[in-house]
């Protein structure tokens, strides 16, 4: 028989009989409201400055925003983006599956490509392709280390526009390959094992099972790369290609209206980036069918 006694239990507080009598006090967030006020004031000042500061020269902006020369430059920018995106992701898919293959040689080649093109600045790559004719006067196609059957003059084959598309595509392909590889690795490997057990061919496994699921992981990063490529087309201005930023530079170099012409380029970049973001939303929603996000 134990001589020790258990400690007395603490008495529970009495529950109020009428819960309606309790006073409900909402949680207060003074710092949140202070942040809202400060942000609203700063935005109001910014908008007021845009509207009242004559240095923006909105009449010049309105004159050149839809000018024919600017619209042509926007079209060139869109062409560079579309061609660069299509070629880069086509090559990126190939590089990604080379990196995922069981062949050590293909893995090494893919890794070396990605390493090299991510290490060399884009402007250096563009200038290299633009000056390709300096290194190779002509390109020959035929038996390796043997006689050639077809010969192409590089001066006529690789012009400024071709060099820009080639440079942008090859550079972007290194990033596209890693995006695609990450999306493929995100797919559960058990599904491929089940498909192989059912006798589904390898190519059909990739096309009908892997890629539709991988697209959910690929699309957000791929859309960011496309938008980055769209804005990055401004770097081809070093090759005197008449894209948007280069054409704006030419115009303000003649009339000296730097700020309003830069705003013209900024407004077009914002509009087209917004359109790409809306397209991204609908494409993501299409591939997200059956999943919860």
């Amino acid at each position: 028989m134990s001589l020790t006694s258990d400690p007395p239990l603490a008495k529970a507080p009495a529950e109020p009989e009428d819960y309606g009598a309790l006073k409900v006090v909402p949680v207060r967030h003074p710092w949140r409201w202070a942040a809202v006020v400060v942000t609203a004031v700063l935005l109001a000042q910014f908008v007021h400055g845009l509207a009242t500061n004559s240095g923006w020269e909105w009449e010049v902006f309105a004159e050149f925003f839809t000018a024919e020369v600017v619209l042509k430059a926007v079209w060139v920018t869109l062409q560079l983006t579309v061609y660069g995106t299509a070629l880069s992701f086509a090559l990126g898919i190939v590089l990604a599956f080379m990196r995922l293959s069981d062949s050590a040689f293909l893995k090494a080649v893919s890794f070396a490509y990605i390493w090299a093109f991510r290490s060399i600045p884009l402007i250096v790559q563009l200038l290299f392709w633009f000056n390709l004719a300096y290194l190779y006067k002509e390109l020959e196609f035929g038996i390796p280390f043997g006689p050639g059957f077809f010969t192409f003059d590089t001066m006529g084959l690789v012009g400024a526009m071709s060099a820009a598309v080639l440079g942008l595509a090859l550079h972007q392909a290194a990033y596209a390959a890693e995006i695609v590889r990450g999306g493929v690795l995100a797919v559960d490997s058990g599904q491929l094992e089940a498909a192989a057990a059912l006798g589904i061919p390898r190519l059909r496994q990739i096309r009908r099972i892997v890629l539709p699921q991988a697209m959910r992981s690929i699309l957000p990063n791929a859309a960011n790369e496309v938008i980055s490529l769209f804005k990055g087309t401004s770097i081809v201005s070093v090759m005197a290609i008449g894209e948007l930023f280069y054409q704006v530079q030419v115009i303000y170099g003649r009339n000296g209206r730097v700020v309003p012409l830069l705003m013209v380029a900024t407004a077009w970049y914002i509009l087209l980036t917004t359109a790409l973001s809306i397209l991204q939303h609908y494409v993501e929603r299409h591939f997200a069918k059956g999943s919860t996000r």
Side-chain angles (χ1 to χ4, degrees):
M1 181 176 178
S2 175
L3 298 178
T4 59
S5 60
D6 294 334
L9 296 174
K11 185 181 291 185
E15 297 184 0
E17 297 180 359
D18 185 9
Y19 287 100
L22 293 175
K23 183 179 180 181
V24 179
V25 179
V27 179
R28 293 178 175 85
H29 302 281
W31 291 110
R32 181 189 299 176
W33 283 107
V36 168
V37 171
V38 170
T39 305
V41 170
L42 291 175
L43 285 174
Q45 288 181 317
F46 177 71
V47 173
H48 180 266
L50 288 177
T52 60
N53 190 338
S54 60
W56 293 105
E57 299 183 87
W58 293 113
E59 65 282 357
V60 179
F61 170 87
E63 177 186 353
F64 286 99
F65 182 71
T66 55
E68 183 179 357
V69 65
V70 172
L71 294 179
K72 287 182 179 179
V74 171
W75 173 241
V76 173
T77 299
L78 288 174
Q79 284 181 300
L80 289 169
T81 304
V82 171
Y83 297 152
T85 299
L87 292 174
S88 65
F89 275 91
L91 179 57
I93 291 172
V94 174
L95 290 168
F97 282 102
M98 286 173 63
R99 188 91 185 269
L100 293 168
S101 72
D102 295 329
S103 170
F105 176 74
L106 293 179
K107 281 184 178 180
V109 171
S110 177
F111 176 81
Y113 180 97
I114 294 169
W115 166 76
F117 280 86
R118 287 198 304 184
S119 302
I120 303 172
L122 176 57
I123 190 170
V124 176
Q125 297 180 42
L126 289 172
L127 292 175
F128 171 79
W129 293 113
F130 188 58
N131 293 283
L132 183 64
Y134 175 78
L135 294 173
Y136 302 98
K137 304 298 180 185
E138 55 185 28
L139 295 177
E140 224 176 47
F141 292 90
I143 300 175
F145 308 105
F149 302 130
F150 304 101
T151 303
F152 297 95
D153 180 19
T154 53
M155 184 64 73
L157 182 65
V158 183
M161 189 71 174
S162 302
V165 172
L166 192 60
L168 290 170
L170 293 177
H171 174 78
Q172 207 70 17
Y175 296 92
E178 290 296 274
I179 291 172
V180 173
R181 186 172 72 93
V184 171
L185 290 175
V187 179
D188 186 6
S189 59
Q191 299 194 39
L192 291 178
E193 295 172 1
L198 292 173
I200 299 175
R202 180 69 174 175
L203 186 59
R204 185 177 294 179
Q205 293 177 28
I206 295 172
R207 185 168 54 90
R208 301 299 298 271
I209 298 175
V210 176
L211 286 180
Q213 297 181 73
M215 289 296 286
R216 297 172 185 172
S217 301
I218 291 172
L219 276 174
N221 293 323
N224 286 337
E225 286 300 314
V226 173
I227 291 173
S228 177
L229 175 63
F230 166 66
K231 294 183 294 183
T233 55
S234 60
I235 202 170
V236 305
S237 60
V238 298
M239 303 163 66
I241 295 176
E243 51 80 44
L244 180 58
F245 184 66
Y246 176 81
Q247 202 59 56
V248 163
Q249 285 181 305
V250 171
I251 297 172
Y252 73 61
R254 293 173 180 171
N255 62 16
R257 299 292 191 268
V258 178
V259 173
L261 266 302
L262 287 178
M263 285 301 296
V264 168
T266 301
W268 273 113
Y269 282 125
I270 290 174
L271 283 174
L272 295 174
T273 300
T274 303
L276 288 173
S277 300
I278 293 172
L279 178 62
Q280 172 194 352
H281 168 73
Y282 285 104
V283 174
E284 282 188 15
R285 192 169 71 173
H286 171 75
F287 282 98
K289 290 178 181 179
S291 66
T292 304
R293 287 195 172 187

